């Protein structure tokens, strides 16, 4: 297959100091050389940078003053010849240079195509390629660490090890089938399969257990702010996101619909959800809002249940306490600047969660709330250095399937089924694990995965 030369703008579109047009493929150096006034690039050593100008070869007009990086195959991002033209930031220069490169015969890269080439040329496997995207999309330091670990091949190494364990048992069974006269091999195979499938299943279970944590790192902890109308839920939302995101008025029932916003509280990613105040109402629109609030309450990873210090507890409040029974929650007593009317003793009895006092109009209590949040999150936290996290939905789904097929294998072993039958499940597990790192992934899957990348990556 003929490999062509691709090009794209690899920096975000907009005003900035520098923008980069990246080329990869066998003709990239020659194409850049056609446009470059400066040192002759064909002779340039690998991994060198050159100052000069990009000049339109027909009009001889100067497009920009640039620095060009030359990186020769195979030790490059794509394992192909790579050229990076560092031009001035802004829209015009970089667009014009890209057009000139395309006129030289380069093809505009598909989204993710540079990374895809790194994968197809064997520099990284599929889970590492996916990690490249995770690095770009990481919103917190923690998520970034997880992605960097995966980029470094941590998950891949573990998956390879597990596949190796499985292949050993498969090999044993093969010997068995080919040389049925060796009875002892048969016995060994049976025992070995039991041991190995159990071991691999245990490892997969561990990965799945921490996967939930990984999902939280990526998507944020779904945190619903719940409470009766007018207690100050939207005020809390605005205080945490530090902008006037939700409408705040002194009219009960102001928030009618669910409002979502991402925030980062001391490194913990929260997906904050402001909801309509929960109360019995005849207003049709508000009623729908209240129903949504109840739904959000059930779906949340964490509930911030807000009460008004200046009012006595109501049956609505007590009902909310009941529905919190199975959930993680923090109780927030707001408006402590006003006279205390709420029954604190009763709250202490009702609440299993932390209780925080705030006065949002005076900016009071947010530090305590942040502390409570981080205590909660880090108390059952696993450090990303020791544990291999899986945060990718595709990987989680494959791990679950792999676990199910190991269950089948063990079931068959328990029933003393013939080993060549058990082997079908073991082989299937081996294939499923292979899909994570791309060893047994189909071409259409690979195309689909890379197409989710951003342009120029
Ligand atoms: N200018 C620039 N900066 C960049 C990138 C880039 O492509 N260009 N990257 C794009 O994501 C990231 C760096 N990632 C990279 C990963 C691998 C290789 C690479 O050349 N690997 C070779 C050689 C390694 C070596 O010299 O030891 C290899 O693994 O064989 C380059 C960049 C972030 N910064
Ligand atoms: N005194 C006092 N007033 C507050 C405090 N926090 C919020 N308020 C006021 O309480 C009123 C209601 O605040 P919101 O944030 O709209 O309350 P909400 O719970 O979102 O109300 P709904 O969306 O209607 O359910 C507004 O007038 C706020 O300014 C506080 O700590 N002390
Ligand atoms: K209100
Ligand atoms: Mg509101």
């Amino acid at each position: 297959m003929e490999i062509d030369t691709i090009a794209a703008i690899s920096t975000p579109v907009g005003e900035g100091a520098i923008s980069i047009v990246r080329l990869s493929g066998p003709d990239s150096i020659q194409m850049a050389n056609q446009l470059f006034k400066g040192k002759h690039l064909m002779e340039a050593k690998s991994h060198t940078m050159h100052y000069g100008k990009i000049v339109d070869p027909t009009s001889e007009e100067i497009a920009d003053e640039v620095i060009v990086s030359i990186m020769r195959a195979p030790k490059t991002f794509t394992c192909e010849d790579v050229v990076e033209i560092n031009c001035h930031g802004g829209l015009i220069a970089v667009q014009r240079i890209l057009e000139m490169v395309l006129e030289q015969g380069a093809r505009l890269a598909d989204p993710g195509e540079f990374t895809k080439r790194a994968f197809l040329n064997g520099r990284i496997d599929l889970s590492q390629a996916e990690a490249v995207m995770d690095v770009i999309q990481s919103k917190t330091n923690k998520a970034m660490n997880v992605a960097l670990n995966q980029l470094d091949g941590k998950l891949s190494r573990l998956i390879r090890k597990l596949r190796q364990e499985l292949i050993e048992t498969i090999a044993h069974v093969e010997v068995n089938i080919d040389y049925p006269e060796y009875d002892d091999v048969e016995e060994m195979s049976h025992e070995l399969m039991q041991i190995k499938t159990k071991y691999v299943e245990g490892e997969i279970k561990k990965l799945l257990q921490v996967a939930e944590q990984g999902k939280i790192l990526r998507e944020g902890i779904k945190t619903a702010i719940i409470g009766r109308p007018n207690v100050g839920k939207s005020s809390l939302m605005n205080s945490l996101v530090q902008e006037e995101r939700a409408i705040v008025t002194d009219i009960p029932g102001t928030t009618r619909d669910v409002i979502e916003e991402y925030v980062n509280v001391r490194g913990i990613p929260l997906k904050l959800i402001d909801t309509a105040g929960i109360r019995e109402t005849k207003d049709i629109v508000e009623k729908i809002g209240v129903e949504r609030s109840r739904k959000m309450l059930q779906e949340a990873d964490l509930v911030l249940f807000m009460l008004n210090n200046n009012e006595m507890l109501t049956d609505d409040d007590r009902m909310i306490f009941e529905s919190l029974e199975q959930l993680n929650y923090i109780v927030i007593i707001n408006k402590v600047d006003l006279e205390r009317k709420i029954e604190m003793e009763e709250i202490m009895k009702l609440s299993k969660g932390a209780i925080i006092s705030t006065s949002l109009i005076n900016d009071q209590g947010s530090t305590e709330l942040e502390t409570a949040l981080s205590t909660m999150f880090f108390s059952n936290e696993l450090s990303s250095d020791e544990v291999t996290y899986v945060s990718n939905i595709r990987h989680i789904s494959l791990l679950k399937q792999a676990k199910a097929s190991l269950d089948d294998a063990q079931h068959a072993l328990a029933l003393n089924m013939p080993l060549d039958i058990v082997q079908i499940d073991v082989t299937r597990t081996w294939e499923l694990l292979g899909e994570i790192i791309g060893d047994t992934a189909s071409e259409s899957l690979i195309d689909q995965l890379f197409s989710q990348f951003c342009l120029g990556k």
Side-chain angles (χ1 to χ4, degrees):
M1 194 185 74
E2 186 76 14
I3 294 164
D4 55 2
T5 295
I6 53 173
I9 298 171
S10 289
T11 42
V13 178
E15 279 179 33
I18 298 166
S19 291
I20 299 178
V21 175
R22 179 159 60 170
L23 290 89
S24 178
D27 300 325
S28 49
I29 299 174
Q30 185 248 321
M31 285 172 181
N33 191 51
Q34 293 292 320
L35 305 171
F36 186 70
K37 269 247 157 68
K39 185 191 162 95
H40 194 59
L41 296 178
M42 299 309 282
E43 273 119 53
K45 281 206 189 112
S46 186
H47 289 74
T48 53
M49 297 177 100
H50 306 277
Y51 170 82
K53 292 192 172 63
I54 296 292
V55 177
D56 190 320
T58 40
S59 69
E60 296 199 11
E61 224 176 288
I62 296 171
D64 199 6
E65 177 191 41
V66 296
I67 286 181
V68 174
S69 307
I70 302 293
M71 290 160 277
R72 295 184 184 274
K75 287 206 145 197
T76 69
F77 183 73
T78 54
C79 302
E80 301 170 346
D81 282 350
V82 171
V83 175
E84 291 180 351
I85 303 172
N86 300 255
C87 50
H88 285 106
L91 299 172
I92 305 301
V94 72
Q95 280 289 351
R96 180 138 177 235
I97 291 172
L98 175 65
E99 275 162 27
M100 287 164 70
V101 167
L102 298 180
E103 273 161 29
Q104 290 297 312
R107 172 173 62 75
L108 184 65
D110 296 328
E113 197 171 2
F114 290 93
T115 312
K116 185 177 180 179
R117 288 189 172 194
F119 166 69
L120 293 176
N121 293 325
R123 190 176 68 78
I124 51 175
D125 69 33
L126 201 53
S127 80
Q128 287 173 302
E130 288 172 285
V132 172
M133 186 157 55
D134 290 348
V135 167
I136 297 171
Q137 293 174 346
S138 288
K139 293 186 180 64
T140 64
N141 286 334
K142 276 208 166 292
M144 180 77 176
N145 283 344
V146 172
L148 281 177
N149 267 331
Q150 191 174 317
L151 182 60
D152 191 38
K154 210 167 170 221
L155 176 65
S156 315
R157 283 193 291 277
L158 178 61
I159 297 292
R160 285 216 176 80
K161 189 175 130 213
L162 298 181
R163 292 186 89 211
Q164 184 58 34
E165 299 281 353
L166 294 176
I167 207 85
E168 278 170 24
T169 76
I170 296 169
H172 245 270
V173 176
E174 293 296 334
V175 173
N176 226 18
I177 293 165
D178 293 344
Y179 306 99
E181 59 275 22
Y182 298 130
D183 280 5
D184 52 337
V185 177
E186 155 103 34
E187 258 166 52
M188 248 176 70
S189 303
H190 202 274
E191 203 174 308
L192 189 72
M193 253 200 192
Q194 227 149 13
I195 295 169
K196 299 264 166 160
T197 51
K198 223 188 197 129
Y199 166 73
V200 174
E201 190 175 15
E203 292 296 301
I204 292 178
K205 264 194 198 149
K206 275 194 235 159
L207 282 175
L208 285 172
Q209 270 164 13
V210 284
E212 190 54 31
Q213 205 101 22
K215 178 173 158 262
I216 281 174
L217 283 172
R218 176 200 282 264
E219 293 170 15
I221 303 171
K222 248 192 183 181
T223 307
I225 310 173
I226 303 279
R228 276 193 295 122
N230 245 14
V231 292
K233 299 178 297 299
S234 300
S235 306
L236 177 63
M237 170 82 152
N238 291 346
S239 151
L240 287 170
V241 305
Q242 292 175 344
E243 61 173 294
E244 301 303 307
R245 175 69 178 84
I247 299 171
V248 169
T249 76
D250 56 4
I251 305 161
T254 301
T255 307
R256 297 288 175 110
D257 214 343
V258 168
I259 301 173
E260 299 181 344
E261 198 63 56
Y262 288 91
V263 281
N264 195 333
V265 176
R266 296 197 192 164
I268 309 162
L270 300 185
K271 183 185 181 185
L272 268 187
I273 305 160
D274 182 21
T275 64
I278 294 181
R279 67 168 167 187
E280 287 304 320
T281 174
K282 292 209 162 57
D283 183 306
I284 298 175
V285 182
E286 194 183 346
K287 214 185 180 97
I288 297 170
V290 171
E291 255 146 46
R292 288 203 181 148
S293 305
R294 292 218 164 89
K295 191 161 160 269
M296 281 301 145
L297 177 84
Q298 292 310 323
E299 287 174 4
D301 300 317
L302 172 65
V303 175
L304 302 179
F305 176 27
M306 186 170 261
L307 293 159
N308 182 347
N309 180 57
N310 190 230
E311 287 171 6
M312 306 214 344
L313 282 172
T314 66
D315 287 341
D316 283 327
D317 293 329
R318 295 190 180 90
M319 243 162 56
I320 296 174
F321 262 119
E322 264 172 47
S323 43
L324 290 177
E325 200 73 28
Q326 308 292 326
L327 303 171
N328 293 317
Y329 62 92
I330 295 175
V331 177
I332 299 171
I333 317 278
N334 189 36
K335 309 200 187 185
V336 292
D337 52 288
L338 302 178
E339 187 198 337
R340 168 147 293 169
K341 290 192 183 152
I342 201 163
E343 303 91 328
M344 280 310 288
E345 286 104 81
E346 185 175 352
I347 292 172
M348 310 265 229
K349 262 185 235 151
L350 288 170
S351 171
K352 281 194 241 106
I355 302 169
I356 309 288
S357 298
T358 58
S359 168
L360 292 172
I361 53 161
N362 293 335
D363 252 340
Q364 244 179 50
S366 52
T367 313
E368 287 80 359
L369 178 60
E370 286 178 12
T371 308
L373 280 168
S374 61
T375 312
M376 208 160 182
F377 186 74
F378 289 111
S379 60
N380 54 5
E381 239 269 325
L382 299 143
S383 134
S384 58
D385 307 332
E386 299 154 36
V387 194
T388 312
Y389 276 94
V390 191
S391 62
N392 179 307
I393 292 164
R394 190 182 74 85
H395 300 170
I396 292 171
S397 153
L398 285 166
L399 285 170
K400 283 186 179 159
Q401 292 175 60
K403 186 179 164 292
S405 101
L406 280 176
D407 279 339
D408 290 346
Q410 280 175 23
H411 191 63
L413 281 168
L415 293 175
N416 243 329
M417 302 263 269
L419 281 181
D420 47 340
I421 301 287
V422 182
Q423 192 194 4
I424 295 171
D425 293 322
V426 177
T427 308
R428 168 113 185 97
T429 312
W430 182 79
E431 284 170 356
L432 286 164
L433 293 177
E435 267 187 60
I436 293 177
I437 51 177
D439 272 16
T440 44
S442 74
E443 200 173 321
S444 65
L445 169 77
I446 289 165
D447 284 344
Q448 193 225 319
L449 283 178
F450 282 100
S451 70
Q452 296 167 11
F453 273 59
C454 33
L455 205 65
K457 193 59 221 182

